[in-house]
């Protein structure tokens, strides 16, 4: 697509901000306590002050009232800039469901908080229900004017920094496993809720969550009781586009850093970028990234135009392709940078670690292939 002049200026402004605030490893370490935090409250506060958080959220709820194209521009540029605000995308994913099915009060609290730099989380996966979310068993039993929740969620991104969980709970049964599931808002400081970190290759991002007789009011239901599966579908499709936009930014950063390296690194009396074998591999990366970017914004433009008939397929295609390209770009960059790619000082090792998880979360890429194949009648 062709961006408007306003969209180009917005993307450039976000890029310049990231280059100013978190371009170097030293800057990022200062924002993340030496790389141990995945999110910087200070940086989120600055972005909120600029009015860039929730750029796609309606003005009535504190956002800028722009579209998904602008949101993808923000996600791409902050990802390219290595801005430590990874939980923002989780909150933005939750926002998609609140926008469609939340009450006015829920929207004002959740969406307004997101635009002010607050964070939100989504608790879907369980130890025996990951790709097969319809098998979720965490129970929410009706009790008076509310529900009592017991069970466990796992791999919950951003729960430790979020104000609320958008929780998938089983409130009943039906003819299929997808019936009887309900979405509930649970404050993360609720009595009986315990959040435990899961140690991974990255800074603290994901958690196990344990619910012991956690009580919430019936006003905490999002949408209709028993209809959670259908409430989630559109939001999950948009989530995949969100992940894809971030993957494009990550891939571009890997390419940018690789280009800077091969243009100055000399071996055998010449820069290594002058060797055909290197030039062609870099050319392939640039081409893949350009095609990914084009598709991401085509899908985003369709959402803004209300053309969502193929969103499930296109969201899965975007997530599948862009995350694979981002992983390939980081690994290629590490290989071509040799030992320097493995050194923390140059940043590429961090980009490799970050590139490994996106093909898994948000629905594994194997699941994305299943969604795509079913949409083709297979």
């Amino acid at each position: 697509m062709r961006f408007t002049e306003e969209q180009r200026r917005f993307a450039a402004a976000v890029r310049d901000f990231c280059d100013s605030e978190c371009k170097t490893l030293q800057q990022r370490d200062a924002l993340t306590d030496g790389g141990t935090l995945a999110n910087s409250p200070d940086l989120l506060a600055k972005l909120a002050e600029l009015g860039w958080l929730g750029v796609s959220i309606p003005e009535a709820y504190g956002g800028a009232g722009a579209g998904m194209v602008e949101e993808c521009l923000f996600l791409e540029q902050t990802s390219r800039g290595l801005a430590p605000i990874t939980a923002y995308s989780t909150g933005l994913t939750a926002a998609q469901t609140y926008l469609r099915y939340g009450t006015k009060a829920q929207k004002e609290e959740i969406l307004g908080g997101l635009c002010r730099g607050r964070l939100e989380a989504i608790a879907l996966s369980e130890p025996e229900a990951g790709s097969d979310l319809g098998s979720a068993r965490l129970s929410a039993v009706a009790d008076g004017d509310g529900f009592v929740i017991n069970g466990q969620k796992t791999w919950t991104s951003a729960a430790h920094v979020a104000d609320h969980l958008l929780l998938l709970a089983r409130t009943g049964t039906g003819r299929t496993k997808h019936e009887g599931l309900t979405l509930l808002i649970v404050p993360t400081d609720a009595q009986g809720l315990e959040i435990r970190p899961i140690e991974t290759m990255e800074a603290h991002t994901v958690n196990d969550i344990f619910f012991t007789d956690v009580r919430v009011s019936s006003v905490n239901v999002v949408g209709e009781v028993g209809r959670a599966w259908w409430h989630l579908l559109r939001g999950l499709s948009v989530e995949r586009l969100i992940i894809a936009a971030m993957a494009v930014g990550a891939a571009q950063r890997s390419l940018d850093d690789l280009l800077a390296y091969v243009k100055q690194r000399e071996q055998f009396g010449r820069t290594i970028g002058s060797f055909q074998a290197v030039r062609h591999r870099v050319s392939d990366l640039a081409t893949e990234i350009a095609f990914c970017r084009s598709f991401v914004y085509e899908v985003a433009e369709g959402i803004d135009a209300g053309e969502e008939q193929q969103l499930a397929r296109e969201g899965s295609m975007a997530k599948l392709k862009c995350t694979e390209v981002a992983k390939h770009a980081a690994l290629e960059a590490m290989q071509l940078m040799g030992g320097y790619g493995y050194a923390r000082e140059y940043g590429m090792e961090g980009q490799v670690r970050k590139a490994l998880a996106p093909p898994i979360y948000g629905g594994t890429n194997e699941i994305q292939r299943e969604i795509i194949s079913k949409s083709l009648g297979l």
Side-chain angles (χ1 to χ4, degrees):
M1 65 170 289
R2 291 186 178 275
F3 298 114
T4 66
E5 182 59 33
E6 184 177 4
Q7 289 167 340
R8 285 194 291 270
R9 286 199 301 269
F10 174 61
V14 177
R15 180 171 180 145
D16 289 346
F17 173 88
C18 292
D19 283 348
S20 172
E21 297 288 333
C22 49
K23 184 175 184 177
T24 68
L25 177 62
Q26 291 73 23
Q27 287 175 306
R28 296 192 296 277
D29 276 352
L31 289 167
T32 61
D33 192 20
T36 61
L37 304 176
N39 297 278
S40 165
D42 291 342
L43 200 65
L44 281 165
K46 289 181 179 181
L47 291 166
E49 187 175 347
L50 288 166
W52 292 347
L53 296 184
V55 65
S56 63
I57 301 297
E59 293 180 11
Y61 304 114
M68 192 52 64
V69 169
E70 286 79 6
E71 195 70 71
C72 286
L73 287 170
F74 176 79
L75 293 166
E76 179 188 348
Q77 292 303 328
T78 51
S79 182
R80 179 210 161 269
L82 303 180
I85 58 166
T86 57
Y88 170 72
S89 63
T90 304
L92 184 64
T93 298
Q96 308 309 308
T97 299
Y98 288 114
L99 278 168
R100 283 288 178 96
Y101 301 105
T103 64
K104 185 174 185 292
Q106 290 169 353
K107 292 175 184 176
E108 288 175 345
E109 180 174 6
I110 304 296
L111 304 183
L114 183 68
C115 297
R116 293 191 302 272
R118 307 300 300 174
L119 297 170
E120 298 293 330
I122 309 174
L124 303 180
S125 295
E126 298 179 9
E128 302 301 326
S131 295
D132 183 16
L133 284 179
S135 296
R137 294 186 295 181
L138 176 140
S139 68
V141 178
D143 183 60
D145 187 29
F147 297 87
V148 178
I149 306 167
N150 283 283
Q152 179 186 352
K153 291 293 182 180
T154 191
W155 300 113
T156 307
S157 298
H160 60 296
V161 292
D163 288 350
H164 310 87
L165 305 173
L166 179 61
L167 176 71
L168 179 68
R170 185 160 295 283
T171 53
T173 58
R175 291 172 298 175
T176 71
K177 63 184 178 182
H178 296 116
E179 297 178 12
L181 293 170
T182 300
L183 291 173
L184 298 167
I185 302 174
V186 181
T188 51
D189 61 357
Q191 185 174 354
L193 187 152
E194 181 186 359
I195 299 173
R196 299 180 192 171
I198 298 174
E199 293 187 11
T200 68
M201 296 172 67
E202 295 188 69
H204 183 188
T205 302
V206 290
N207 309 272
D208 281 317
I209 310 178
F210 299 89
F211 299 78
T212 305
D213 294 333
V214 176
R215 291 180 174 271
V216 296
S217 168
S218 59
V219 300
N220 288 42
V221 173
V222 181
E224 299 178 46
V225 172
R227 298 286 296 172
W229 182 256
W230 293 272
H231 294 341
L232 282 171
L233 290 179
R234 193 260 182 185
L236 293 178
S237 294
V238 176
E239 177 191 29
R240 288 155 192 158
L241 180 65
I242 289 170
I243 294 170
M246 296 171 67
V248 169
Q252 187 64 53
R253 179 56 179 254
S254 293
L255 177 61
D256 290 347
D257 288 356
L258 174 60
L259 280 169
Y261 179 81
V262 301
K263 287 178 180 179
Q264 60 85 28
R265 172 66 168 169
E266 291 189 1
Q267 289 289 277
F268 307 104
R270 54 198 276 202
T271 60
I272 63 173
S274 67
F275 290 93
Q276 186 184 70
V278 173
R279 293 202 313 269
H280 286 191
R281 289 167 76 172
V282 173
S283 297
D284 286 344
L285 287 180
T287 302
E288 291 271 43
I289 294 168
F291 272 76
C292 284
R293 179 178 291 110
S294 179
F295 187 65
V296 162
Y297 288 103
E298 179 181 328
V299 178
E301 191 175 36
I303 292 174
D304 290 341
E307 300 168 357
E308 298 191 10
Q309 298 89 339
Q310 303 299 325
L311 178 58
R313 177 199 298 178
E314 292 174 343
S316 291
M317 286 178 169
K319 195 265 184 183
L320 168 63
K321 183 63 176 177
C322 294
T323 58
E324 294 291 348
V325 167
K327 180 172 73 173
H328 178 61
L331 290 170
E332 277 285 86
M334 174 174 277
Q335 181 67 29
L336 291 173
M337 289 173 69
Y340 295 101
Y342 201 66
R344 187 168 186 266
E345 176 186 357
Y346 284 76
M348 193 55 65
E349 61 83 28
Q351 286 158 240
V352 168
R353 285 187 285 109
K354 289 179 181 178
L356 297 179
I360 300 171
Y361 64 60
T364 66
N365 283 0
E366 288 73 20
I367 291 295
Q368 304 315 312
R369 291 182 175 95
E370 279 295 296
I371 294 171
I372 295 164
S373 65
K374 289 179 181 178
S375 76
L376 297 172
L378 299 176

